[in-house]
Amino acid sequence: MKKLLKHLKEYKIQCLLAPLFKLLEASFELFVPLVVASIIDNGIANDDKMYILQRFGLLVLLAMVGLTSAIFAQYYSAKAAVGFAGKVRYMLFSHIQTLSFTDLDKLGTSTMVTRLTSDVNQVQTGVNLTLRLLLRSPFIVFGAMIMAFTVDVKTAWIFVIVIPVLFVIVFAVMANTLPRYNKIQKNLDIVVTKTRENLSGTRVLRAFTRQEREIYEYTEAVNELEKVQEITGKISNIMNPATFIVINVATAFVIYVGAIRVDVGDLTQGQVVALVNYMSQILVELVKLANLIITITKAIASGNRVQTVLEIENFDILNMNKEDNVLGSETGSDASNNDYAVSFENACLTYAGDLEPSLENLNFSVKEGENIGIIGGTGSGKTSVVNLIAGYYKATEGSVKVCGKDVKKYEKNELLNKVSVVLQKAVLFKGTIRDNITFGMDNVSDEDIMEACRVAQATDVVNSKKGGLDALVEEGGKNFSGGQKQRLSIARALLRKPEILILDDSSSALDNLTDAALRREINNLSYKPTLFIISQRTSSLEKCDRILVLEDGKPVGLGSHQELLSKDSGKFCDVYEEIYNSGFVSATKNA
Amino acid sequence: MNSVMSNIFKYISKYRLYVVLSIACAAVYALLSLYIPILTGDAVDVIITKGDVDFDKIFEILLKDLLVILFAALAQWIMGVCNNKISYNVIRDLRRDAFEKIQTLPLSYIDSHAHGDIVSRIISDVDTFSDGLLLGFSQLFTGVVTILATVFFMLSISWKVGLLVIALTPLSLIAASVVAKLIYKMFRRQSEIKGRQTSYINEMIGNVRTVKAYGRESDVTKDFKEINDELTDVSTKAIFYSAITNPLTRFINSLVYASVALYGAFNVIALNITVGNLTSILMYANQYTKPFNEISSVITELQNAFACAERVFELINRKERVPEKEDAVELTNVSGNVEFKNVSFSYNKETKLIENFNINIKPGMRVAIVGPTGCGKTTVINLLMRFYDTDKGGIYVDGIDTRDITRNSLRRNFGMVLQETWLRSGTVRDNIAMGREDATEEEIIAASKAAHAHSFIKKLEKGYDTVISEDGGSLSAGQKQLICIARLFLALPPMLILDEATSSIDTRTELKIQNAFAKLMKGRTSFIVAHRLSTIKEADLILVMNKGNIVETGSDEELTQKKGFYYNLKTAVEK
């Protein structure tokens, strides 16, 4: 939270002025009981109507000055709190954009969204109320006590006793409830999860006839939540009656002691009224203070959560400092490598938090225009190869070069212009189909877009929607099927005419007919990109120039389809054969 | 409106004793706490000046004062306890009922409604309803009692000064409502921009990988900044103007207070009232507007709560799926004969899907359902499992209309693995044991081994006790699918439905599982949705679907000879 608060500096002036004006307002409020006392003691006692009129004017003046100060205070605190929150939100959003894929994995989408929305809002409320009330409330409480001392020292001692007692009550209640709120939150989370799961898993749960059991478990969960809420409610419910008793009993004491002091002539009737008034001012402010502390506690917790995200250091190689890559520059100038579109030299990749590398000692070079297939089981490291070429993750050992230059040496956009990746999960954004395909590219003709669509087998997707390229895409591409999304994502990559095109299992939602047509069209592209196709099936890769076979993060075969299957080629790969056979075994059985 | 009210009463009536007690205590508290200023005023009146203090009277007043304080506090406490009790219990009851409703709603409702929306009804709407309506009502009631009692007390002390207070206080209410109108537009704009920003955040953060893959971070950040700046601007104004309400009403109250002090003091001089009376009235004047402000804020809250209640009850009172027939039979000892007789079905009336479909599937048959993406293969599963009911005709299992069979027993006889794997938060063991709750540890492990899931589960941090988060969390899609298959191997039902059950599993593991499936399918009627030609060729019967309709049926050989839709699909794959 501390580091976050540094950014309040920009609003230094507002942060000073807001509480200052608040204090000003409060001090005017503290004068009111004294004025009323003087009306009783001087005006009424002496039948002095002029005097009373003057005092009335004074009261109005105090109110006006109070209002003016309050308006200033509210303005400055709103300005500071909202401005600060806006800045934090922006910092957080742009920070997330720079995070590496590794860190994004760790954070998870819903966490990031919560940080950006409700947590930042909580911080905003916290700062706003702190500026407005944190000084004001204690100031009135202690101010009332001090004013009481100016009226009558002996009676004022009651205030000295009452204030700590009230504080003890308020804080005891809070100390007992605040930790319970966490427990409530935890119980509520369980209820939310169960609710959500029973919606997302309806089919499975009904298929396994779990309804009764689910209802039973849910009832237990809501009962537990109710129990914790009721206990917490019971404790916090003590606060109001307890403070009510303390303040009113104290008022009775003030009257009693005041009576004695008046009897001996040390105090006037009006002053007793003033003392009573001061006592009632305390209560209101104390309750406000208690609520404020709860808000601040929540805001600090939120602030810390935001801070944690902001503190994640950036491991993304695309954003790394150049100095780190002295080594890369030496090999990068090696002219003999320039014929290769991509070359791996002992490349290893170990994801943060993993013990075992996901990719080990990868050594191979790919010529421009070559078609490379990558195959292997789940977790064999296929996607890690993509991550290295596209620079999403940096090689933990060894190096990866694209067009003869170490990936680490590339300016961010330079590499992105050369390499286009179609990710496993196809994503469309709110906007039009055109926006989604151009995706930030300027001055693209419709012909170019439609050509990319033609190759990507997306022409009929565009034509089937009303408005064609201008058809609206809903948030998250909700109005498109999985296969349509994939085809449009491929068109997006193709439009860029990349030197290197990577299809990471990106036609999984397409039926075989469409998939075959897609592959045929890509092979016929005039600009002949270096192509990487990642797939689980050998049939998708048969036409590739070479196929890299991975198992458990290690390369176990490299060669053409025929070479990998032929025992005489010297490139025979039993893993590949096994994968190949598994796809065909049942077919041959039937034949 | 009325139905919402009657629903609300239904839920509250269970706690009517608490409601009555709470209302009674609210009244007692309001009256007693308002009596205290009178006692204070009385006391002030006997504290005149040096030597002129009536101590007997003071003792008497203070004793009364103490009793009033104690009873008022007690009433306040009881009221709080009651309100808690009512509010939390009603929340619980509503959530439980809503949840039970989810279990009996037709799937068409769940499929066609955003899950986030249903969750927010059950979680936040229920909260808002309960907080707003129950506590709002108690505040409203207390407020009204307080206002009436204050008016009564003030008028009984001095009708002149009392009238002054009553005449002036609307000023602060008018001021508050003027400000409220002013800021309403700003708040609406604020929430509109906030909504826009939230969906932008959801979209861009959710798909940050794609954004990064195309190097669009700076564009996206720039767009975000634009919305963010707009929000900051509007929020500053909205928050500032709304923050003015309090000082403004406080100012007007101060004016009322000053006027009462002036007019009251003149009345004291004219000997109409005493100093103590003035003190009491000033105390009232100070707190008189508070219940008014509370009431006006409570009313917006009540409206809000009412809207939430409507949404909650809309869900709770939803029509349930077709109820089970009273004489519905339990399906036991299934041989596996499944027959579609004149089945017609569509999701909505406008687009026809399956029409007058007939087929008789003999026990132990392997049925493959094929067709291009999005052709409605899952519709058949929906009908078989009675997730949806047919519009016309019926499906018969062993000659019994599935609508005459209890849903649970029908479903227990089908084992289902879907393409979209679903795991719940809990341990791996819990997830597998969902297949059969009374399964022993050995049986669970045996099932996992059969599904080739055992080896990876063993490698997990805590093996079968590893807790996985909602929807599988860190497990790969293939691993999730293996766990779902283990579930099936544990349940071992007489009929199987496999919807692309191995789509995310790598080919080598898949091969092993296929063998296990082959064994499992022996003697079991199975429905298999698949893309893979090899799987399809092995089937005894192929249902070819296109655009939601079943266009061809027959064996691979028959359909190949027919050179129809299936033939085209098949040759395209082999090309």
Side-chain angles (χ1 to χ4, degrees):
Chain A
M1 186 72 188
K2 257 187 206 158
K3 281 191 193 156
L4 210 56
L5 285 178
K6 271 202 310 215
H7 299 286
L8 257 179
K9 253 193 200 156
E10 218 172 281
Y11 302 94
K12 218 170 18 191
I13 298 171
Q14 284 89 341
C15 287
L16 278 173
L17 287 178
L20 206 69
F21 277 107
K22 250 338 200 199
L23 289 187
L24 212 58
E25 186 206 5
S27 22
F28 290 119
E29 249 173 68
L30 284 172
F31 280 115
V32 172
L34 285 186
V35 179
V36 174
S38 71
I39 290 179
I40 295 171
D41 288 340
N42 303 326
I44 293 176
N46 305 329
D47 284 358
D48 188 346
K49 287 196 180 177
M50 203 50 221
Y51 184 84
I52 295 172
L53 217 54
Q54 273 173 7
R55 294 288 119 166
F56 166 72
L58 185 58
L59 281 178
V60 173
L61 192 68
L62 284 176
M64 273 174 5
V65 181
L67 174 68
T68 320
S69 335
I71 288 176
F72 275 110
Q74 311 292 61
Y75 174 73
Y76 287 127
S77 62
K79 185 102 188 147
V82 178
F84 171 65
K87 201 176 161 204
V88 169
R89 205 183 298 115
Y90 175 70
M91 277 189 338
L92 192 58
F93 188 88
S94 45
H95 184 72
I96 289 175
Q97 300 293 327
T98 67
L99 286 182
S100 70
F101 279 36
T102 324
D103 293 319
L104 294 173
D105 293 343
K106 269 191 280 178
L107 276 173
T109 307
S110 62
T111 313
M112 293 188 279
V113 172
T114 326
R115 298 292 167 276
L116 273 166
T117 50
S118 61
D119 277 327
V120 172
N121 288 344
Q122 200 79 55
V123 170
Q124 176 177 311
T125 316
V127 172
N128 192 16
L129 289 186
T130 304
L131 291 178
R132 266 153 51 171
L133 291 178
L134 191 63
L135 282 177
R136 180 196 144 95
S137 291
F139 183 81
I140 295 239
V141 171
F142 291 105
M145 182 178 85
I146 290 163
M147 295 306 272
F149 270 102
T150 64
V151 176
D152 180 47
V153 177
K154 283 204 174 141
T155 328
W157 281 106
I158 298 173
F159 285 76
V160 179
I161 299 163
V162 166
I163 291 172
V165 170
L166 287 174
F167 269 103
V168 167
I169 293 173
V170 172
F171 285 98
V173 168
M174 279 193 345
N176 275 298
T177 47
L178 280 183
R180 277 168 217 270
Y181 284 124
N182 284 331
K183 220 173 142 193
I184 291 180
Q185 191 54 47
K186 262 188 209 131
N187 276 297
L188 188 65
D189 285 345
I190 295 174
V191 173
V192 175
T193 308
K194 280 199 177 299
T195 314
R196 213 164 33 206
E197 276 182 353
N198 269 272
L199 290 165
S200 64
T202 327
R203 276 187 168 70
V204 177
L205 290 168
R206 289 192 186 186
F208 286 111
T209 63
R210 295 260 313 180
Q211 289 104 308
E212 309 235 319
R213 171 110 203 176
E214 291 300 319
I215 291 173
Y216 172 76
E217 282 177 13
Y218 192 81
T219 310
E220 283 203 327
V222 284
N223 280 342
E224 184 61 32
L225 175 64
E226 194 275 334
K227 227 166 65 193
V228 188
Q229 279 178 322
E230 212 179 303
I231 293 171
T232 314
K234 259 188 192 141
I235 298 172
S236 69
N237 188 38
I238 293 172
M239 185 143 93
N240 281 333
T243 47
F244 179 86
I245 291 179
V246 171
I247 282 285
N248 283 296
V249 169
T251 311
F253 267 104
V254 167
I255 292 172
Y256 176 66
V257 176
I260 296 173
R261 306 278 295 152
V262 172
D263 196 37
V264 296
D266 286 347
L267 215 56
T268 65
Q269 191 187 27
Q271 284 170 322
V272 175
V273 174
L275 287 168
V276 168
N277 282 338
Y278 280 127
M279 191 55 95
S280 53
Q281 267 181 342
I282 290 176
L283 185 60
V284 181
E285 291 304 324
L286 208 66
V287 172
K288 275 192 205 160
L289 189 63
N291 288 332
L292 176 68
I293 288 169
I294 292 174
T295 315
I296 293 180
T297 324
K298 281 188 193 159
I300 290 177
S302 291
N304 284 334
R305 285 197 289 265
V306 171
Q307 180 68 47
T308 328
V309 178
L310 283 175
E311 269 170 6
I312 295 173
E313 295 235 7
N314 219 319
F315 290 114
D316 193 334
I317 44 169
L318 295 174
N319 297 305
M320 269 177 50
N321 292 332
K322 291 273 151 40
E323 297 92 54
D324 296 346
N325 301 306
V326 189
L327 244 169
S329 62
E330 283 167 26
T331 38
S333 56
D334 195 341
S336 65
N337 276 351
N338 280 350
D339 300 340
Y340 291 118
V342 179
S343 61
F344 293 87
E345 288 165 21
N346 276 320
C348 298
L349 176 59
T350 309
Y351 294 104
D354 281 1
L355 296 173
E356 299 281 308
S358 294
L359 200 60
E360 274 179 90
N361 295 328
L362 188 58
N363 274 302
F364 91 115
S365 299
V366 178
K367 285 206 262 327
E368 276 173 32
E370 222 180 337
N371 282 7
I372 299 291
I374 302 175
I375 197 163
T378 316
S380 60
K382 296 185 300 263
T383 299
S384 298
V385 176
V386 180
N387 287 336
L388 287 178
I389 301 172
Y392 299 153
Y393 295 81
K394 62 175 174 177
T396 32
E397 271 172 63
S399 71
V400 180
K401 285 179 198 156
V402 169
C403 301
K405 188 169 163 187
D406 195 310
V407 165
K408 293 176 189 172
K409 272 200 69 200
Y410 273 94
E411 290 288 337
K412 202 169 115 95
N413 287 328
E414 199 184 344
L415 185 60
L416 291 176
N417 287 337
K418 284 183 191 295
V419 184
S420 276
V421 184
V422 183
L423 297 172
Q424 246 167 335
K425 186 187 161 215
V427 169
L428 296 184
F429 295 85
K430 192 174 165 182
T432 62
I433 293 185
R434 183 185 281 106
D435 294 343
N436 268 286
I437 297 177
T438 58
F439 208 50
M441 273 172 86
D442 298 325
N443 305 322
V444 192
S445 72
D446 279 9
E447 286 74 46
D448 286 347
I449 298 175
M450 287 314 292
E451 170 60 17
C453 288
R454 187 189 62 80
V455 177
Q457 304 302 307
T459 312
D460 63 314
V461 178
V462 177
N463 289 338
S464 70
K465 298 280 169 183
K466 212 172 157 188
L469 286 176
D470 292 310
L472 288 182
V473 179
E474 283 172 28
E475 199 185 323
K478 265 186 293 194
N479 50 342
F480 287 79
S481 76
Q484 292 177 324
K485 278 194 249 182
Q486 276 188 341
R487 281 180 273 174
L488 291 176
S489 309
I490 295 171
R492 181 191 291 157
L494 287 170
L495 182 65
R496 283 155 175 78
K497 298 202 166 73
E499 289 174 47
I500 299 167
L501 174 65
I502 306 176
L503 304 178
D504 185 357
D505 217 353
S506 34
S507 54
S508 58
L510 304 186
D511 58 86
N512 290 314
L513 231 142
T514 320
D515 191 24
L518 169 72
R519 261 181 283 134
R520 199 171 49 235
E521 288 301 332
I522 289 183
N523 284 328
N524 290 340
L525 282 174
S526 59
Y527 55 90
K528 291 271 170 244
T530 310
L531 179 68
F532 289 83
I533 303 179
I534 290 164
S535 177
Q536 310 231 8
R537 321 244 174 266
T538 55
S539 59
S540 313
L541 306 178
E542 273 170 30
K543 294 214 171 76
C544 290
D545 300 323
R546 281 187 297 164
I547 299 164
L548 173 69
V549 188
L550 293 169
E551 189 177 51
D552 283 336
K554 290 183 208 83
V556 291
L558 181 65
S560 72
H561 179 70
Q562 278 73 24
E563 285 170 338
L564 289 169
L565 289 177
S566 145
K567 300 225 161 137
D568 314 321
S569 68
K571 288 182 178 172
F572 174 74
C573 174
D574 54 344
V575 176
Y576 189 76
E577 191 191 45
E578 205 179 321
I579 298 175
Y580 174 74
N581 286 338
S582 65
F584 270 81
V585 69
S586 18
T588 44
K589 230 192 284 170
N590 253 24
Chain B
M1 183 92 180
N2 278 331
S3 72
V4 175
M5 278 316 277
S6 64
N7 271 306
I8 293 171
F9 279 122
K10 202 180 83 198
Y11 276 91
I12 293 177
S13 68
K14 219 172 132 188
Y15 305 100
R16 54 179 172 269
L17 264 181
Y18 290 106
V19 175
V20 172
L21 196 59
S22 164
I23 291 176
C25 284
V28 169
Y29 167 71
L31 290 174
L32 287 183
S33 64
L34 286 173
Y35 190 51
I36 292 174
I38 302 237
L39 290 173
T40 309
D42 288 349
V44 168
D45 274 342
V46 291
I47 308 172
I48 310 295
T49 180
K50 192 178 174 181
D52 189 1
V53 176
D54 186 346
F55 278 100
D56 290 343
K57 196 90 190 185
I58 283 184
F59 277 124
E60 194 192 309
I61 293 169
L62 289 184
L63 191 69
K64 224 199 264 177
D65 192 28
L66 282 180
L67 282 176
V68 169
I69 292 167
L70 282 180
F71 279 108
L74 187 67
Q76 196 187 21
W77 182 74
I78 295 173
M79 180 177 81
V81 172
C82 290
N83 287 345
N84 268 339
K85 189 102 193 159
I86 303 165
S87 146
Y88 295 136
N89 276 297
V90 168
I91 289 180
R92 195 230 2 236
D93 295 350
L94 279 169
R95 287 206 177 123
R96 204 188 41 213
D97 289 357
F99 187 83
E100 269 180 42
K101 176 60 74 169
I102 289 182
Q103 305 295 337
T104 54
L105 276 174
L107 258 155
S108 56
Y109 182 88
I110 294 171
D111 285 345
S112 61
H113 287 74
H115 293 175
D117 177 64
I118 304 180
V119 172
S120 88
R121 286 180 198 219
I122 299 180
I123 305 300
S124 56
D125 284 350
V126 165
D127 266 337
T128 317
F129 158 68
S130 179
D131 281 358
L133 205 74
L134 302 169
L135 302 182
F137 175 74
S138 113
Q139 262 180 353
L140 188 68
F141 179 77
T142 322
V144 172
V145 173
T146 308
I147 291 168
L148 293 179
T150 314
V151 169
F152 172 76
F153 282 131
M154 280 193 301
L155 290 178
S156 68
I157 293 168
S158 157
W159 64 271
K160 278 189 198 161
V161 187
L163 271 184
L164 179 74
V165 178
I166 294 162
L168 288 178
T169 32
L171 281 180
S172 96
L173 298 181
I174 290 165
S177 78
V178 167
V179 176
K181 270 200 198 98
L182 271 174
I183 57 181
Y184 174 72
K185 265 192 202 152
M186 259 177 265
F187 267 98
R188 247 213 352 222
R189 266 205 67 206
Q190 186 189 236
S191 60
E192 183 252 323
I193 298 172
K194 231 183 208 167
R196 210 144 39 90
Q197 193 185 46
T198 308
S199 65
Y200 192 80
I201 287 173
N202 268 318
E203 189 166 29
M204 291 310 162
I205 298 296
N207 300 315
V208 65
R209 274 151 216 277
T210 307
V211 171
K212 288 171 78 70
Y214 284 86
R216 297 207 68 200
E217 295 97 317
S218 56
D219 292 345
V220 165
T221 311
K222 213 177 81 201
D223 286 349
F224 178 80
K225 189 172 160 43
E226 226 167 81
I227 307 177
N228 197 42
D229 287 348
E230 203 183 339
L231 178 68
T232 307
D233 192 46
V234 173
S235 273
T236 309
K237 282 182 198 145
I239 289 184
F240 168 59
Y241 285 111
S242 76
I244 281 184
T245 319
N246 272 331
L248 197 65
T249 50
R250 212 157 44 218
F251 169 71
I252 292 171
N253 288 346
S254 303
L255 291 186
V256 175
Y257 189 85
S259 315
V260 173
L262 176 74
Y263 187 58
F266 283 0
N267 269 292
V268 177
I269 291 173
L271 295 177
N272 288 332
I273 56 171
T274 64
V275 174
N277 291 155
L278 178 63
T279 315
S280 311
I281 288 191
L282 278 176
M283 283 172 120
Y284 285 134
N286 225 358
Q287 47 180 288
Y288 180 57
T289 45
K290 223 177 81 195
F292 279 109
N293 289 331
E294 261 170 25
I295 286 173
S296 62
S297 75
V298 159
I299 284 170
T300 35
E301 233 171 88
L302 279 176
Q303 281 168 340
N304 203 354
F306 215 83
C308 288
E310 235 171 338
R311 280 163 52 80
V312 175
F313 289 123
E314 198 268 329
L315 174 67
I316 290 183
N317 296 331
R318 254 292 129 177
K319 208 174 128 207
E320 290 185 15
R321 59 184 178 191
V322 184
E324 213 93 85
K325 281 194 181 157
E326 269 178 41
D327 53 352
V329 293
E330 291 278 318
L331 192 62
T332 47
N333 298 324
V334 176
S335 68
N337 174 268
V338 179
E339 193 178 1
F340 285 69
K341 273 190 203 163
N342 304 320
V343 170
S344 295
F345 173 79
S346 68
Y347 290 101
N348 57 46
K349 296 285 163 285
E350 288 120 57
T351 42
K352 286 176 180 165
L353 277 183
I354 297 173
E355 285 220 63
N356 209 16
F357 176 60
N358 285 291
I359 199 157
N360 192 351
I361 296 155
K362 295 190 191 73
M365 257 195 176
R366 224 176 269 193
V367 182
I369 307 169
V370 290
T373 328
C375 67
K377 283 168 285 198
T378 42
T379 308
V380 176
I381 299 175
N382 281 337
L383 294 177
L384 279 173
M385 294 293 274
R386 277 195 76 199
F387 290 145
Y388 286 76
D389 275 328
T390 57
D391 297 334
K392 270 184 233 150
I395 299 170
Y396 295 79
V397 174
D398 285 1
I400 313 168
D401 191 328
T402 48
R403 279 163 299 196
D404 296 333
I405 301 169
T406 61
R407 282 190 180 85
N408 279 355
S409 75
L410 174 71
R411 288 171 187 163
R412 254 195 303 267
N413 281 292
F414 278 108
M416 181 182 82
V417 180
L418 297 180
Q419 181 183 18
E420 290 194 6
T421 52
W422 177 81
L423 297 180
R424 68 177 334 158
S425 59
T427 64
V428 173
R429 181 183 292 102
D430 291 345
N431 268 292
I432 297 174
M434 208 182 280
R436 191 151 58 80
E437 265 154 40
D438 56 359
T440 64
E441 182 76 16
E442 287 74 38
E443 287 172 319
I444 290 176
I445 292 176
S448 309
K449 280 186 178 155
H452 297 275
H454 182 68
S455 58
F456 95 81
I457 295 173
K458 248 184 9 198
K459 280 186 212 151
L460 294 175
E461 207 180 324
K462 286 178 184 159
Y464 284 86
D465 290 315
T466 309
V467 175
I468 44 186
S469 59
E470 205 179 338
D471 212 29
S474 55
L475 296 180
S476 77
Q479 290 170 331
K480 282 195 260 181
Q481 223 162 26
L482 291 180
I483 291 181
C484 293
I485 294 170
R487 242 184 230 163
L488 181 76
F489 276 100
L490 185 64
L492 289 178
M495 294 179 288
L496 301 175
I497 294 174
L498 307 174
D499 179 6
E500 304 251 2
T502 54
S503 60
S504 309
I505 299 164
D506 63 273
T507 334
R508 295 175 72 203
T509 318
E510 191 185 6
L511 174 69
K512 296 175 194 158
I513 292 175
Q514 290 296 2
N515 291 334
F517 269 143
K519 256 187 255 163
L520 189 67
M521 282 190 267
K522 205 158 270 168
R524 288 186 163 89
T525 310
S526 334
F527 296 85
I528 308 152
V529 176
H531 278 324
R532 199 81 52 82
L533 200 60
S534 54
T535 326
I536 298 163
K537 277 181 172 171
E538 276 186 356
D540 302 311
L541 183 69
I542 300 167
L543 304 185
V544 187
M545 296 191 73
N546 190 28
K547 293 180 181 155
N549 228 323
I550 296 158
V551 289
E552 290 172 9
T553 54
S555 69
D556 175 59
E557 211 176 321
E558 286 163 14
L559 292 172
T560 311
Q561 274 167 10
K562 202 176 166 191
K563 299 217 169 180
F565 193 76
Y566 176 77
Y567 177 78
N568 284 336
L569 267 180
K570 191 176 151 185
T571 43
V573 177
E574 284 175 345
K575 229 187 315 197

